[in-house]
């Protein structure tokens, strides 16, 4: 059986390729290009070969392309490198290059794929993501603004009214109650109740919107939160920070506060712990909050959809942060929340 042979010059084989194939000199000019290069960039062959290759590269990508080219000329193969070219009609095309320097011939052999459609899809996804992220940030700021208003109303209006009532009861207790033991007993009870009411209003106001974040920043606010948690719940809560407040912006400080607040609430309700540790630290890329307790623990798959866990996951997702929770029945729980610097 006779097998047919193809009589096609080697370089002409590349004209059959759907990829862009070229040979360039060390001087930065094309020495040979296949037809796909001409079709993609919309130039005739001689137009492409008479000018430096950088002429056709998008101006924003020329510098990084030159740097990567120098690395390649020194022996480092160029793989999966993306840059943009401008066609003769003014369109932008994205190319993904694989290039090698053939040192003994002083040329560069390169193959590129046209990835413009993929890049455009990625750009649309990125734009959609940024839009959703912006909307989430807007809603979060609106919620915090509403919380701040409610907290102010609680503290400035309701708490002040309770203080006025307490003052009046105090006057009655001092000036009227002495004449009647029952009145004395009732006014004394009312004084205790109004004192508790005022403390409760202040605590709720702080929980809704902690004013100390603006005045004292994150570390002092978290220290206060942990100390109050210890006093109210008889659970030893330790706070340790290796972070300066200046390294975290106001929005991130509120996020860390909300995660800590929600974590302590869950510990109070479910963990049966007697020791909690809250640590704030950082590494090369992230600011990290770790919250651990020595409680009864649980199976992650059994509580992963509970409101508190869901809230913290959603909060982390809304700010492009990371949320991890580890727990073993009988061995406590560890929560890790991190935000990129």
């Amino acid at each position: 059986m006779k097998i047919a042979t193809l009589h096609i010059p080697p370089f002409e084989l590349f004209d059959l390729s759907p990829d862009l194939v070229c040979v360039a000199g060390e001087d930065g000019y094309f020495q040979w290009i296949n037809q796909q290069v001409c079709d993609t960039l919309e130039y005739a062959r001689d137009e492409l070969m008479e000018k430096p290759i950088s002429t056709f590269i998008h101006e924003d990508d020329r510098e990084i392309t030159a740097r990567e080219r120098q690395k390649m000329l020194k022996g480092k193969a160029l793989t999966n490198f993306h840059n943009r070219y401008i066609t003769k009609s003014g369109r932008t095309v994205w190319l993904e290059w694989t290039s090698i320097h053939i040192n003994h011939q002083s040329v560069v052999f390169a193959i590129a794929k046209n990835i413009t459609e993929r890049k455009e899809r990625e750009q649309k996804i990125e734009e959609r993501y940024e839009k959703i992220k912006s909307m989430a940030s807007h809603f979060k700021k609106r919620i915090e603004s509403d919380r701040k208003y409610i907290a102010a109303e609680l503290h400035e209006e309701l708490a002040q009214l309770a203080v006025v009532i307490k003052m009046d009861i105090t006057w009655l207790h001092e000036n009227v109650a002495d004449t009647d033991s029952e009145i004395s007993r009732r006014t004394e009870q009312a004084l205790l109740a109004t004192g508790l009411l005022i403390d409760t209003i202040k605590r709720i106001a702080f929980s809704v919107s902690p004013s100390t974040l603006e005045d004292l920043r994150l570390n002092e606010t978290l220290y206060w939160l942990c100390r109050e948690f210890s006093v109210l719940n008889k659970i030893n809560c330790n706070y340790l920070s290796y972070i300066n407040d200046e390294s975290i912006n106001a929005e991130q400080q509120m996020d860390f506060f909300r995660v800590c607040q929600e974590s302590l609430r869950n510990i109070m309700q479910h963990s049966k712990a007697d020791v909690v540790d809250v640590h704030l630290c950082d590494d090369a890329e992230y600011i990290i909050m770790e919250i651990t307790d020595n409680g009864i623990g649980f199976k992650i798959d059994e509580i992963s959809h509970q409101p508190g866990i869901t809230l913290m996951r959603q909060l982390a997702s809304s700010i492009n942060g990371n949320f991890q929770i580890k727990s073993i029945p009988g061995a406590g729980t560890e929560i890790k929340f991190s935000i990129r610097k």
Side-chain angles (χ1 to χ4, degrees):
M1 178 179 178
K2 187 177 180 179
I3 300 176
T5 57
L6 294 174
H7 298 286
I8 301 176
F11 275 120
E12 291 185 17
L13 280 172
F14 290 120
D15 278 331
L16 303 176
S17 171
D19 296 330
L20 291 75
V21 183
C22 65
V23 176
E26 292 179 346
D27 59 359
Y29 283 77
F30 287 121
Q31 291 190 2
W32 182 89
I33 52 178
N34 73 343
Q35 186 59 41
Q36 191 63 32
V37 177
C38 301
D39 294 343
T40 301
L41 299 182
E42 302 172 354
Y43 285 96
R45 194 179 300 266
D46 59 345
E47 291 179 305
L48 290 168
M49 298 183 70
E50 67 183 7
K51 294 180 181 180
I53 299 171
S54 60
T55 304
F56 309 102
I57 298 174
H58 192 290
E59 61 180 359
D60 292 342
D61 290 349
R62 288 174 187 169
E63 184 177 345
I64 188 173
T65 301
R67 288 201 304 268
E68 294 300 317
R69 184 174 182 274
Q70 287 302 313
K71 294 178 185 177
M72 179 191 58
L73 292 177
K74 292 178 181 178
K76 180 182 178 182
L78 185 68
T79 58
N80 301 322
F81 173 69
H82 300 175
N83 65 357
R84 290 167 290 180
Y85 281 71
I86 303 300
T87 69
K88 191 172 185 177
S89 65
R91 292 188 306 108
T92 298
V93 295
W94 280 92
L95 300 179
E96 181 182 73
W97 292 95
T98 297
S99 309
I100 57 171
H101 180 223
I102 305 175
N103 189 50
H104 67 280
Q105 294 188 16
S106 299
V107 297
V108 173
F109 179 74
I111 300 176
K113 293 183 180 296
N114 187 342
I115 58 170
T116 304
E117 289 186 7
R118 190 180 88 194
K119 282 290 186 178
E120 289 175 348
R121 287 196 300 270
E122 290 175 356
Q123 185 176 2
K124 288 180 180 178
I125 292 172
E126 181 67 22
E127 289 173 354
R128 192 177 300 120
Y129 168 76
E130 289 298 328
K131 183 177 180 180
I132 293 172
K133 184 178 177 182
S134 177
M135 290 174 61
S137 178
H138 168 76
F139 288 132
K140 188 169 67 173
K141 288 178 181 178
R142 180 61 185 269
I143 290 170
E144 291 298 340
S145 177
D146 290 344
R147 284 174 177 264
K148 189 174 182 179
Y149 171 77
I150 294 170
E153 288 294 301
L154 284 170
H155 189 270
E156 301 300 332
E157 298 294 333
L158 195 56
Q160 293 301 323
L161 287 173
V163 168
V164 171
I165 293 171
K166 185 177 181 180
M167 291 172 62
D168 288 341
I169 295 173
T170 300
W171 186 90
L172 289 172
H173 185 69
E174 292 174 351
N175 294 279
V176 177
D178 288 344
T179 63
D180 190 306
S181 59
E182 181 62 19
I183 294 177
S184 178
R185 186 178 66 82
R186 292 296 184 94
T187 54
E188 187 172 351
Q189 289 179 348
L191 282 172
L192 290 173
T194 51
L196 291 173
L197 175 61
I198 293 169
D199 290 341
T200 300
I201 292 171
K202 290 179 178 179
R203 189 166 61 251
I204 292 173
F206 175 83
S207 177
V208 171
S209 182
S211 59
T212 49
L213 268 179
E214 293 183 2
D215 300 331
L216 302 177
R217 309 301 295 273
L218 181 64
N219 279 313
E220 190 64 29
T221 301
L222 290 181
Y223 172 76
W224 193 94
L225 179 66
C226 292
R227 185 178 62 180
E228 184 193 46
F229 177 84
S230 295
V231 171
L232 294 178
N233 299 287
K234 308 302 182 199
I235 298 174
N236 186 19
C237 185
N238 307 300
Y239 177 67
L240 182 62
S241 173
Y242 299 96
I243 298 294
N244 293 323
D245 290 320
E246 291 73 19
S247 64
I248 313 176
N249 64 44
E251 186 173 354
Q252 290 174 333
Q253 290 191 31
M254 182 60 75
D255 294 331
F256 278 112
F257 173 81
R258 291 298 177 205
V259 169
C260 186
Q261 183 184 46
E262 188 62 34
S263 298
L264 293 180
R265 184 181 292 119
N266 288 337
I267 290 171
M268 175 189 69
Q269 294 175 345
H270 306 294
S271 75
K272 297 183 180 179
D274 54 27
V275 177
V276 179
D277 292 305
V278 179
H279 292 168
L280 195 61
C281 59
D282 66 349
D283 59 19
E285 295 184 62
Y286 293 91
I287 300 170
I288 304 162
M289 173 182 282
E290 294 181 342
I291 302 171
T292 59
D293 69 65
N294 66 345
I296 59 175
F298 49 82
K299 294 181 179 179
I300 297 294
D301 55 351
E302 293 181 356
I303 61 90
S304 60
H305 299 297
Q306 285 191 357
I309 304 297
T310 301
L311 174 64
M312 287 186 282
R313 283 204 177 99
Q314 290 173 344
L315 178 59
S317 177
S318 72
I319 57 174
N320 201 26
N322 300 307
F323 174 79
Q324 298 175 335
I325 182 167
K326 299 177 182 178
S327 187
I328 299 174
T333 301
E334 176 185 327
I335 288 174
K336 187 174 182 180
F337 176 71
S338 58
I339 298 176
R340 188 178 293 276
K341 290 182 179 178

